[in-house]
Every structure is written in structure tokens, then in C-alpha cells.
Amino acid sequence: MQIDVLTLFPNMFEGVIGDSILKRAQEKKKVDINLYNLRDWTHDKRRTVDDKPYGGGPGMVIKPEPVFEACDDLCKKNTHVILLTPQGEKLDQKLATKLLKYRHLLFICGHYEGYDERIRTLAHREVSIGDYVLTCGELPAMVVIDSIVRLVPGVLGEEGSLDSESFNDDLLEYPQYTRPSVYRDMKVPEILVSGNHNKIEKWRKQQSLKRTKKRRSDLLKKYNKEGKRSE
Ligand code: ADE
């Protein structure tokens, strides 16, 4: 999978893509992440990427020319272009899984007050990471990229760890414990040290349901509606 990012601040990505699992995913050639500076597609001395909005108003707007020209150069026949914006479709596990199917993603990160509306015609999809406004599209791009790359087969050590985690199935993950079995008077539930794998599986499913009901009743409703309840 190839992931290209068009950004005004490539340095913001260095720590995130240059460390931990994203770093390993690139080393293992599971994913190829490339950063492109939008200013490289400007033609003036000051490398201008923004301008005042027509009709007045505060702030600056990203100009169409550098973004269109960058897309001319970076887009291939199979490229899926994603614009980061709080007005986009909200990221969830289902969307991350859907994006995993594309061979080439191009993320466009905005800044300032917004994009020239014509830039929207370049995007196959607009994505938001939640109902709040950040200063830039770089952080959301990193969030979306991380949510996709960890799903690429072979990136996480154990494939099984993807099956049980939160939101697969629309349920939150069950509680996890590690050693020591007693810590500051808090004991690991007996069942987890019993070695009875059937019982452990059942307990985990019950805990997932209980936790989802308490914390995210919206998810539980969805789970029940989709007829996933096995009990
Ligand atoms: N740019 C600014 N805020 C954003 C958000 N919540 N999601 C995606 N892009 C953004």
C-alpha cells in the first residue's frame, strides 16, 4: 500500500511515522509513506499557498492552483484522494477497514480557515476525525493513517489481536490483565488464571457486553440491531 501526504508541515509527521509500528510497517515494506510539501507546487518567490477569501471574512484560504498541480503530479489511475476536514465523514473502525482496500491513498491536509471550495472536486472522500476543530489537517491525517496501517496484514505481531479489540463487532474490548496476579490488593479475576479457555471466552464476551452497555449504549443498540448477539 502506498500512502502519500500533501502537507504544509512535513516535519510534523516525522516523529509519528518514524517510530514504533508505523516505522516497522515501512521497514517491513508493508506500506510506503511519502510526504510532499505543498509549497513545492507554488511558482512565486514567497511560495504562497493561501489568499484572502472572496467576499471578505477572517483568515486565509488555501489556493486551488498548488493543490491541483500537486494532484496532477501525484495521482495515478487508482489513487483515492482524501481531504481532511471537520466537514467530512467521521472516521470509525469501519471506515478504516474500507480505506485499507485502496492500493494508493493521497491525503490532503488543510490549514488556516479552509480550502478553496474547488479543491473539494479533487477528493474522492472527505474525512473528519471528530466533531471538533483542530488547527490543521496534519494531526487528523496521522490518526487516519495509523488506523489503516495497523490493519495491513503482517503489520501487527499477532493477527489475532485485531479480532478481539474494541469496535470489531461493535463492542468494546474486555478487560485485560497481566502479572502480578495481585497488585495493591487488586486481584486478577479467578477465571483468567483457571486455564479453562471456553469459560474464559464466555467471560470475555460477557464483559465486553457489560462494558459496552455501560459506556457506549449507542454501540450496543447497533450490535443488537444487527443481530450479532449470540447468547
Ligand atoms: N481539520 C481540522 N479539524 C479537523 C477534524 N476534526 N477532522 C479532520 N480534519 C480537520
Side-chain angles (χ1 to χ4, degrees):
M1 173 181 233
Q2 185 183 335
I3 297 179
D4 293 342
V5 184
L6 191 56
T7 166
L8 286 166
F9 300 97
N11 290 346
M12 281 180 76
F13 289 82
E14 299 296 349
V16 172
I17 68 167
D19 219 330
S20 188
I21 290 179
L22 291 186
K23 181 183 179 192
R24 252 198 295 137
Q26 294 167 89
E27 285 170 352
K28 287 203 234 166
K29 306 257 182 281
K30 299 289 177 195
V31 63
D32 178 23
I33 304 177
N34 306 289
L35 304 171
Y36 294 97
N37 192 329
L38 183 60
R39 291 191 197 278
D40 291 343
W41 281 273
T42 56
H43 303 289
D44 62 317
K45 231 192 189 148
R46 295 188 54 236
R47 293 168 44 97
T48 311
V49 291
D50 58 339
D51 207 340
K52 288 178 284 193
Y54 273 120
M60 300 290 268
V61 173
I62 300 275
K63 290 162 66 60
E65 305 96 308
V67 185
F68 271 81
E69 287 178 33
C71 275
D72 288 344
D73 289 345
L74 299 176
C75 285
K76 299 183 262 195
K77 225 166 61 194
N78 64 353
T79 305
H80 192 70
V81 180
I82 299 174
L83 192 73
L84 281 315
T85 160
Q87 299 180 22
E89 132 188 40
K90 220 185 287 178
L91 177 69
D92 60 13
Q93 197 62 27
K94 216 167 259 167
L95 178 55
T97 309
K98 215 185 272 179
L99 295 176
L100 182 64
K101 309 283 186 295
Y102 295 99
R103 299 284 302 277
H104 181 208
L105 295 173
L106 171 63
F107 289 90
I108 303 176
C109 308
H111 253 263
Y112 314 111
E113 295 304 313
Y115 307 93
D116 181 287
E117 192 64 18
R118 289 164 290 192
I119 291 171
R120 296 207 134 86
T121 64
L122 293 169
H124 297 100
R125 190 186 290 273
E126 298 185 17
V127 175
S128 161
I129 60 160
D131 291 340
Y132 42 86
V133 181
L134 299 169
T135 54
C136 62
E138 277 73 10
L139 289 169
M142 287 183 238
V143 169
V144 180
I145 290 168
D146 188 88
S147 74
I148 300 166
V149 172
R150 62 189 294 286
L151 298 175
V152 173
V155 165
L156 291 186
E158 283 183 69
E159 299 299 313
S161 62
L162 289 173
D163 296 337
S164 60
E165 69 188 9
S166 295
F167 305 114
N168 271 349
D169 244 9
D170 292 322
L171 292 180
L172 300 182
E173 195 181 2
Y174 47 78
Q176 297 267 35
Y177 294 87
T178 185
R179 285 179 289 186
S181 65
V182 183
Y183 183 67
R184 299 196 181 194
D185 292 334
M186 292 179 282
K187 276 186 76 182
V188 172
E190 294 282 344
I191 193 138
L192 294 179
V193 290
S194 70
N196 185 329
H197 291 291
N198 280 342
K199 280 193 177 165
I200 289 173
E201 210 173 297
K202 221 169 171 183
W203 179 86
R204 285 179 163 164
K205 185 67 179 252
Q206 283 166 355
Q207 291 293 317
S208 272
L209 286 163
K210 192 169 144 191
R211 182 162 279 198
T212 311
K213 185 176 178 190
K214 188 159 174 214
R215 298 182 184 202
R216 293 291 304 273
S217 56
D218 59 316
L219 287 180
L220 193 67
K221 267 188 217 133
K222 200 162 142 203
Y223 173 84
N224 287 331
K225 209 163 94 193
E226 289 175 11
K228 287 181 186 158
R229 183 182 268 279
S230 54
E231 282 84 352

